[in-house]
Amino acid sequence: MKFEMNNGNKIPIIGVGTYLMKDEHELSQIIGESLRIGYRLIDTAAVYRNETIIGKIISNISSYNLNRDDIFITTKLSPADQGRDKCKKAIMDSLERLKLSYIDLVLIHFPGSSRSTPKSPKNPENRRGSWQDLEELQQAGIVKNIGVSNYTIRHLEELFGYAKIKPVVNQIEVHPLFHSKELIDFCKKHSIIVQAYSSLGARDGWPILSTNLTLKKMAQKYEKTVAQILLKWALQHDLCIIPKTSKVERLKSNFQIFDFELSIEDMAQINGLNENHKFCWDPEPIL
Ligand SMILES: NC(=O)c1ccc[n+]([C@@H]2O[C@H](COP(=O)([O-])OP(=O)(O)OC[C@H]3O[C@@H](n4cnc5c(N)ncnc54)[C@H](OP(=O)(O)O)[C@@H]3O)[C@@H](O)[C@H]2O)c1
C-alpha cells in the first residue's frame, strides 16, 4: 500500500507516529509490533528527541526479516535549525542519531524559525536556505526525498518560486474537525502528497474520539471503532496517515481499515463536521 510521489519514488500510505514517545522499551515494543503488523513507515522528528532510540531499534531490522529498503523513515528539520548550512548540519546529526546511511524523507517541520517572531523576514529567508540545503542533501544521496510540513498555500507558492526540486509531501493537520479543502486540492493539483497528522485528534484525541455522536453512530453502522472511521475517512480522501499509539492493540485496529468503504453520503456527512478546530500549531501567521 504505497503512493507514488512526484519524483517516481514510493511512500507507504500508513505509518506510525512517534510524537511524545521517548521510552526505549515502549518504542521498541510499538515499532517492533508495527513492523510485524505491516506498517512500513516510521515518522519521527529532531524535536521528538527519539531519533537515537529509533535508530537503535531499526539497526536491528533484519530481526524482523526486513531489509533497510523495506522500511521508510521520515524525520523533520527542527525550527531551531532552519537556515542555510544550519539545516545541512542538523540533518547530518539526525542521520547519525538514526544510524542510517540515508534518510527516506526529510521535511521542514514548520515554516517558522525558532527565536523569530511570526512576521520576521528571517522566516522566509531561513526557509529558502533550508530548502537549498535539502536539495543538496538529496543530490548527494543522503536524503532520498524532501518535503515540507505545516506549509500553507502561501508558503508553497513562495517555495515554487525558487525550488529546483519540488516537495514530494506536505504533512499537515487534517481530521474532520479541521480540514482545508483548498490546501488539500492545491497540493493534489501540484502532485504533492498530503500526509495527515493528528487524524485522531492529537495527543488527547477526546474531542473527536469520545464525544462526536455522528462518528459514534457511524462506527456502530460499519461495526468499526471511531478511530477506524477517522483513519478511513482520511484514506478515502487519498491522504497518507501516521496515527500514533502507545498501545499494541490499537496499533492492530488502526491498521484494520482496508476491509470496508465509507459511502459517499457518509464521507459527505463527516466532511460537514469541519469547524476549523485545530489541535496543533498554526502556520497561518508565519510570514
Ligand atoms: N508535522 C507536525 O507538525 C506534526 C504535528 C503533530 C503530529 N505529527 C506526527 O503525526 C503523528 C500523529 O499525530 P498525533 O500524535 O498528534 O495524534 P493522533 O495520531 O491523531 O492521536 C494520537 C492519540 O490518539 C490515541 N489513539 C491512538 N489510537 C487510538 C485508538 N484506536 N483509539 C483511541 N485512541 C487512540 C493515542 O493514545 P495512546 O497512545 O494512549 O493509544 C493518542 O492520545 C505524531 O505522532 C507525529 O509523528 C506531526
Side-chain angles (χ1 to χ4, degrees):
M1 293 153 302
K2 290 179 179 175
F3 280 152
E4 188 169 307
M5 298 182 279
N6 61 35
N7 58 7
N9 294 337
K10 302 230 166 79
I11 181 168
I13 63 175
I14 179 166
V16 279
T18 64
Y19 179 50
L20 294 179
M21 297 183 78
K22 288 188 205 154
D23 179 80
E24 184 168 345
H25 175 71
E26 186 182 62
L27 264 172
S28 174
Q29 203 190 11
I30 287 297
I31 292 179
E33 193 54 31
S34 72
L35 294 172
R36 277 185 281 273
I37 290 168
Y39 292 84
R40 291 291 176 266
L41 184 151
I42 300 165
D43 183 83
T44 180
V47 296
Y48 301 171
R49 303 256 176 260
N50 59 14
E51 289 174 314
T52 303
I53 300 173
I54 291 175
K56 198 170 158 190
I57 299 165
I58 56 176
S59 64
N60 205 11
I61 195 70
S62 57
S63 65
Y64 303 98
N65 289 324
L66 293 169
N67 298 315
R68 165 66 185 96
D69 56 5
D70 292 324
I71 57 169
F72 190 104
I73 308 296
T74 303
T75 195
K76 312 184 196 86
L77 176 76
S78 162
D81 295 317
Q82 284 261 28
R84 188 73 165 143
D85 298 329
K86 239 176 145 184
C87 164
K88 206 175 273 179
K89 180 178 178 314
I91 300 309
M92 293 310 288
D93 289 347
S94 283
L95 186 79
E96 197 178 316
R97 284 191 292 270
L98 288 163
K99 296 180 191 61
L100 295 174
S101 58
Y102 68 89
I103 302 173
D104 298 275
L105 174 63
V106 172
L107 307 175
I108 295 183
H109 206 147
F110 191 71
S113 300
S114 301
R115 293 177 296 280
S116 294
T117 56
K119 296 292 169 224
S120 167
K122 276 272 161 209
N123 292 316
E125 184 189 321
N126 284 344
R127 279 198 297 276
R128 184 179 184 142
S130 298
W131 194 256
Q132 286 171 324
D133 274 8
L134 291 183
E135 288 180 329
E136 288 173 12
L137 286 167
Q138 180 171 320
Q139 275 148 7
I142 288 162
V143 173
K144 297 286 181 199
N145 305 285
I146 57 178
V148 294
S149 175
N150 296 297
Y151 270 41
T152 64
I153 292 178
R154 185 167 43 84
H155 300 124
L156 286 168
E157 279 176 336
E158 172 208 86
L159 175 62
F160 295 159
Y162 54 76
K164 291 193 200 106
I165 301 177
K166 217 175 164 183
V168 288
V169 163
N170 189 15
Q171 187 184 105
I172 53 174
E173 179 172 346
V174 183
H175 45 73
L177 303 190
F178 182 89
H179 54 105
S180 165
K181 183 175 176 342
E182 205 191 348
L183 177 56
I184 292 171
D185 286 350
F186 181 89
C187 289
K188 283 185 182 167
K189 187 175 134 203
H190 291 276
S191 308
I192 296 169
I193 285 176
V194 176
Q195 197 177 43
Y197 71 71
S198 300
S199 309
L200 304 171
R203 68 185 78 166
D204 294 328
W206 67 266
I208 310 184
L209 283 164
S210 50
T211 60
N212 193 293
L213 285 178
T214 307
L215 292 168
K216 279 184 163 181
K217 276 191 198 149
M218 225 170 267
Q220 278 175 354
K221 174 178 163 186
Y222 287 93
E223 298 182 347
K224 289 283 171 184
T225 65
V226 172
Q228 287 169 325
I229 299 290
L230 289 166
L231 296 174
K232 189 68 185 188
W233 172 83
L235 286 190
Q236 285 186 219
H237 274 295
D238 298 326
L239 311 182
C240 288
I241 48 171
I242 44 170
K244 173 259 163 188
T245 181
S246 51
K247 301 185 176 61
V248 167
E249 62 281 7
R250 288 180 172 174
L251 207 53
K252 279 189 196 133
S253 67
N254 290 349
F255 201 79
Q256 284 161 356
I257 50 175
F258 298 98
D259 56 354
F260 76 110
E261 197 78 13
L262 295 167
S263 70
I264 293 170
E265 296 75 26
D266 289 337
M267 283 294 287
Q269 205 184 344
I270 302 176
N271 292 344
L273 297 175
N274 200 356
E275 51 185 49
N276 229 13
H277 185 121
K278 255 188 150 299
F279 297 110
C280 297
W281 45 358
D282 186 5
E284 278 298 338
I286 306 295
L287 180 69

